[in-house]
Amino acid sequence: MRAPLLNLLLITSVAGASLAQAQTATPQTAAVSPEAIKQREQELEAARARQKSAEEAQAKLKVEITALGQDRTQLNQQLIETAANVRAVETKIDEAEARLRALNGREQQMRASLDSRRADIVEVLAALQRAGRRTPPALLVRPEDALQSLRTAMLLGAVVPELRGRAEKIAGELGELVALRKTIAIERDQLASDRDKVRNDQTRLTALVDERQRQQAAREKDLDAENSRAIALSKQVGDLQGLIAKMEQDLQSAARAAEKAAEAAKQAEAKAAAGANSSANSSAKSGPGAFKDKSRTTPAIAFASAKGLLPLPVNGNKIRDFGGSDGVGGVQKGISLATKPGSQVTTPCDGWVVYAGPFRSYGQLLILNAGGGYHVLIAGMERISVNIGQFVLTGEPVATMGSTSQVASILATNASQPVLYVEFRKDGTPIDPGPWWAANEGEKVRG
């Protein structure tokens, strides 16, 4: 019974290479078999079914959005919740991909270990073969088959202790490899499911954003002219502070937004003064619960009071921090986050859009007036989906990252990777945004 084991593990160590050669070999001239034709027909039918399902989903989504009508609160709720779902699934995908990289690396290590010990495996299997009395079974090439044969040989035959120990060690490694393969398969299935979900959520989010902008356009008849004038004005200034001043002075919608921000800041100060005698009431209004009202048209709380509450605007890794080197001998005035292509960008705070468009080396630039002399600048996106003068809520989707860096090399460490740049300003001076970010995911404001 032990005779086939010589073949089994030898085949295990070389089967992968043989299979790879077979898969990469280019067929000379082979006629299309009936099985291949049938498979293609099945693939075509599956594609048609997916298309039909997508069309039905689109029709259902259209009905849902139409039902929202002009209900701004419900639309905001749907926007923020869907954007949060997209961000959450993006995070799950990143984590799953990291786990898969580790698992695949472990599998390669195990395969390399078995291959490097081929001589020892041959010796063990040869000894088991000589001790066997039965004819070797059919050729087996999978680790599962080799593992089963080893176990059978050890159970049925009287093997010397030393040989048995070596065989058990090999069987243990094969068992670990089999279990690892099962884990990898489960992770890949979950990753595929998550990717399908994020695609569906992104489709829904796109439709919701289009509806929001359609309603905004209906209220602002001169949006196109305003946007064109904003871009023209941006070319007349050379720095960010000049751009902010130019927009809020010369552009009608940006000026209105700045006035509303100033008025909201005064009201917030008055409320804070009036509620100074009631610490419990003040605490409730300045915590995460303040962001629950989706019908608000002014910031939920004063920006200065939002420290420790705001979410980062995108999923990514921080590659440059405030106050660090900017790569050219200067000091970084904001933070830079390396993201994945197509990542969803949401607002880190409530505020009015005073600029949305291309600017200098920043790529697409979004500037929010958060009131109280605070401005939030977000740059490096490929597409912005809000307009100047628009009030946006914390966690609301406002832009999408591209596939490569849209900012100058001064802001990015890798030009092939999307990078989002975020800067906070108080009365025109860049400030450290660190105190405003939520300490962990559970404390982030999702709207």
Side-chain angles (χ1 to χ4, degrees):
M1 181 63 187
R2 297 159 187 84
L5 297 179
L6 173 62
N7 294 330
L8 298 181
L9 285 182
L10 281 175
I11 292 168
T12 300
S13 63
V14 301
S18 300
L19 182 58
Q21 291 175 358
Q23 289 175 334
T24 55
T26 304
Q28 298 291 327
T29 53
V32 180
S33 66
E35 291 78 9
I37 294 175
K38 183 177 180 180
Q39 181 179 355
R40 291 177 185 176
E41 289 176 348
Q42 290 174 344
E43 291 172 352
L44 180 59
E45 188 62 30
R48 287 172 178 164
R50 287 194 298 270
Q51 181 180 0
K52 182 179 179 181
S53 177
E55 290 172 352
E56 291 173 349
Q58 286 277 16
K60 182 180 178 181
L61 179 57
K62 186 175 180 180
V63 171
E64 290 179 8
I65 292 177
T66 301
L68 292 176
Q70 297 297 314
D71 190 335
R72 185 176 182 277
T73 301
Q74 286 296 316
L75 181 58
N76 288 342
Q77 179 79 35
Q78 292 287 322
L79 275 166
I80 292 171
E81 287 182 356
T82 306
N85 288 340
V86 169
R87 294 278 302 272
V89 178
E90 285 177 347
T91 299
K92 284 185 64 179
I93 289 173
D94 288 343
E95 292 171 349
E97 289 177 342
R99 288 194 300 270
L100 270 176
R101 285 193 294 271
L103 290 171
N104 287 330
R106 175 61 181 152
E107 182 184 14
Q108 292 301 318
Q109 290 175 356
M110 293 181 66
R111 284 181 171 278
S113 174
L114 287 169
D115 190 58
S116 67
R117 293 165 47 241
R118 184 183 301 181
D120 183 48
I121 295 171
V122 168
E123 182 181 347
V124 171
L125 295 178
L128 290 173
Q129 179 178 334
R130 287 192 297 272
R133 298 178 179 177
R134 301 178 62 182
T135 305
L139 194 65
L140 304 174
V141 296
R142 300 189 306 148
E144 291 88 340
D145 299 329
L147 175 61
Q148 183 60 42
S149 294
L150 268 173
R151 287 172 175 167
T152 301
M154 289 186 291
L155 286 173
L156 297 182
V159 184
V160 294
E162 187 272 339
L163 185 59
R164 184 181 183 87
R166 292 165 67 185
E168 285 177 343
K169 183 178 180 181
I170 295 171
E173 292 185 14
L174 283 168
E176 186 179 351
L177 180 58
V178 170
L180 187 61
R181 281 185 164 186
K182 290 180 180 178
T183 302
I184 290 174
I186 292 171
E187 286 284 353
R188 283 177 176 162
D189 289 344
Q190 183 60 51
L191 182 59
S193 175
D194 287 341
R195 282 175 172 160
D196 287 341
K197 186 178 188 307
V198 81
R199 278 193 293 268
N200 293 336
D201 284 343
Q202 285 171 338
T203 299
R204 179 180 182 81
L205 189 58
T206 298
L208 289 166
V209 167
D210 289 345
E211 175 63 15
R212 177 191 64 187
Q213 296 314 106
R214 186 193 67 77
Q215 293 184 13
Q216 179 73 12
R219 291 190 291 267
E220 299 284 348
K221 301 296 184 182
D222 55 352
L223 276 179
D224 290 340
E226 283 275 88
N227 288 337
S228 297
R229 185 158 181 255
I231 294 173
L233 288 172
S234 71
K235 295 177 181 178
Q236 300 173 18
V237 293
D239 58 31
L240 288 171
Q241 187 54 31
L243 176 64
I244 294 172
K246 193 75 171 173
M247 293 300 104
E248 295 186 342
Q249 289 174 7
D250 295 0
L251 199 66
Q252 184 178 6
S253 16
R256 287 199 305 268
E259 290 173 4
K260 290 178 180 178
E263 183 180 348
K266 290 179 181 179
Q267 291 176 355
E269 290 174 1
K271 287 181 180 179
N277 296 327
S278 175
S279 59
N281 184 53
S282 176
S283 175
K285 289 186 177 180
S286 61
F291 297 90
K292 297 301 181 183
D293 178 15
K294 302 302 185 298
S295 63
R296 64 186 185 273
T297 56
T298 58
I301 56 176
F303 189 83
S305 301
K307 291 182 178 179
L309 297 176
L310 303 185
L312 288 170
V314 72
N315 293 332
N317 299 316
K318 188 185 295 183
I319 56 175
R320 288 189 180 173
D321 208 347
F322 177 84
S325 171
D326 64 2
V328 291
V331 177
Q332 184 88 349
K333 297 179 181 179
I335 64 171
S336 295
L337 301 167
T339 77
K340 296 191 70 174
S343 292
Q344 181 64 53
V345 180
T346 56
T347 49
C349 65
D350 292 355
W352 286 266
V353 179
V354 294
Y355 185 75
F359 182 70
R360 304 294 177 180
S361 61
Y362 290 86
Q364 291 292 323
L365 172 66
L366 180 66
I367 302 177
L368 303 178
N369 187 327
Y374 290 93
H375 287 86
V376 174
L377 291 71
I378 308 174
M381 302 81 71
E382 183 177 71
R383 184 175 65 86
I384 295 176
S385 57
V386 289
N387 298 105
I388 297 171
Q390 191 169 340
F391 179 73
V392 292
L393 307 180
T394 302
E396 192 169 342
V398 292
T400 306
M401 299 301 292
S403 57
T404 59
S405 176
Q406 303 293 313
V407 296
S409 58
I410 186 175
L411 301 177
T413 58
N414 185 348
S416 65
Q417 184 176 24
V419 174
L420 188 75
Y421 176 73
V422 186
E423 183 177 309
F424 286 7
R425 291 191 169 216
K426 176 67 168 78
D427 298 328
T429 302
I431 60 173
D432 183 6
W436 273 266
W437 303 129
N440 56 54
E441 191 70 19
E443 295 174 357
K444 288 183 181 181
V445 174
R446 289 298 185 187

